[in-house]
Amino acid sequence: MSEEANKKAKTALPQAPDEEWPEAWMMCDDDKIEDQKKENRQDPNAKITAADMRKLGISFWKMDADTFTYPVKAVPWDPKDAVDPRLSQLRDDRGYSYADIITIHPDHLPGFDAKIKAFFEEHIHDAEEIRYILDGSGYFDVRDPNDKWVRVHIKKGDLMTLPEGIYHRFTCDETDYIKAMRLFKGQPVWTPFNRPQEEHPSRKAYVTEFMEEKKTDE
Ligand code: KMT
Ligand code: NI
């Protein structure tokens, strides 16, 4: 292989080892949630592993969010300007061509309470959801194959992707602060399609790939 071809054939940026994946757990039932920003664990705690999350179609990388710094808000932020070589590689590996930065905090996001409420409506997208957490922390909730909520606690340095068609929702945790880079392939479309979406092609594709015959006895 020529040196040039060799460079092009370099392997994709490896995902994080299991022990670096975020903490995740089964949530208590929705009717028991008094405050969406609390942990809302089951009692006793039911841990969800990295392998469990991978089965749902989630991918996860650990990034260096200390060495490389980003603006509070940049819309759009051009991924060509990436200063982190690992972020550049991930962008090239996966074809991400757009990025912006959102800071979710009462002082930075107009209509904070209404937006937090909207993010917490169960929905799907017709594309992958890619979030690189630059600072702060928060919760992504995703449905497991038994239609139960799994809560994933993401924090600074975490880069997580949710597959197209997975039912999910987001909330700040009790810190009320998260700063995230949102990446996208092509022109960004953030439209949420609220549940139910059983006939949506993205939902059907998700069910076929990740859910059929994955249910377990309860
Ligand atoms: C979403 O998709 O819910 C958001 O973009 C909000 C949170 S980003 C960490
Ligand atoms: Ni979403």
Side-chain angles (χ1 to χ4, degrees), residues 124-126 164-165 193 197-205:
I124 62 166
H125 302 283
D126 60 6
E164 172 180 349
F193 298 96
Q197 292 292 340
E198 298 316 305
E199 296 309 311
H200 193 292
S202 296
R203 181 63 195 164
K204 286 184 164 176

Side-chain angles (χ1 to χ4, degrees), residues 100 102-104 109 115-116 118-121 123 125 129-133 135 137-140 154 162 168-172 178-182 190 192:
D100 65 20
I102 180 170
T103 298
I104 304 177
L109 192 68
K115 284 193 178 126
I116 286 293
F119 291 146
F120 205 59
E121 294 283 331
H123 63 276
H125 302 283
E129 179 159 322
I130 309 131
R131 296 292 183 268
Y132 171 19
I133 311 310
D135 203 7
S137 55
Y139 297 123
F140 271 103
I154 45 157
L162 301 182
H168 65 280
R169 63 189 180 189
F170 171 81
T171 182
C172 279
I178 191 166
K179 176 180 171 187
M181 186 183 295
R182 310 187 293 180
W190 311 119

Side-chain angles (χ1 to χ4, degrees), residues 5 66 79 95 119 126 159 196 210 214:
D66 286 313
F119 291 146
D126 60 6
L159 195 158
F210 295 106
K214 300 242 169 84

Side-chain angles (χ1 to χ4, degrees), residues 38-52:
K38 289 193 186 288
E39 291 183 337
N40 290 294
R41 294 172 190 265
Q42 290 185 1
D43 183 21
N45 186 53
K47 185 183 161 59
I48 293 297
T49 65
D52 296 330

Side-chain angles (χ1 to χ4, degrees), residues 37 104-107 109-117 119 172 176-177:
K37 296 175 182 176
I104 304 177
H105 180 274
D107 296 343
L109 192 68
F112 175 83
D113 285 330
K115 284 193 178 126
I116 286 293
K117 206 159 177 256
F119 291 146
C172 279
D176 263 351
Y177 171 59

